[in-house]
Amino acid sequence: MSESPEQVTVTLLGKSHQFSCTPGQQQALIDAVDLLNGRVDEMRQRNTVRSDHNALLLAALHLCHELLALQNDTQQAEQTLQQLTQRISTQMERA
């Protein structure tokens, strides 16, 4: 039997929002909201950001950009690891 989702109330852009999450994931949700709030604050400090909506969009875009860069780095590291593993296997077969 699966556990029912739990409700978590967080503050984003100065307003309370309630989200459902799986049991045990409450802190991860809170941490994500804290990260997003921090990024929104950074965007607000820029002179070009005039509204909460734009600050939120820019923060989300920056986070997505970072996520894509990390995924690319991970993919490259996996390819390098696979190549090294293949070289080791080849060397072991020759020995």
Side-chain angles (χ1 to χ4, degrees):
M1 183 191 315
S2 65
E3 296 181 47
S4 58
E6 296 185 13
Q7 297 294 312
V8 178
T9 302
V10 296
T11 302
L12 184 60
L13 294 173
K15 297 179 183 175
S16 290
H17 299 275
Q18 195 169 37
F19 295 98
S20 294
C21 66
T22 56
Q25 293 298 310
Q26 300 90 337
Q27 191 59 50
L29 175 59
I30 291 167
D31 291 344
V33 169
D34 288 344
L35 176 62
L36 185 55
N37 275 325
R39 293 301 177 94
V40 168
D41 288 342
E42 287 176 26
M43 296 304 121
R44 282 181 179 148
Q45 292 175 6
R46 295 181 178 195
N47 292 334
T48 58
V49 177
R50 306 241 186 267
S51 70
D52 285 346
H53 179 76
N54 286 347
L56 183 60
L57 286 174
L58 279 174
L61 284 172
H62 278 257
L63 288 168
C64 288
H65 179 264
E66 289 176 15
L67 174 62
L68 289 173
L70 287 170
Q71 287 175 336
N72 185 46
D73 290 349
T74 300
Q75 184 179 29
Q76 289 178 358
E78 287 174 351
Q79 288 173 351
T80 300
L81 182 59
Q82 186 177 26
Q83 290 169 352
L84 290 172
T85 302
Q86 194 171 24
R87 285 182 190 170
I88 290 170
S89 293
T90 302
Q91 291 295 327
M92 289 179 71
E93 290 173 1
R94 291 182 184 169

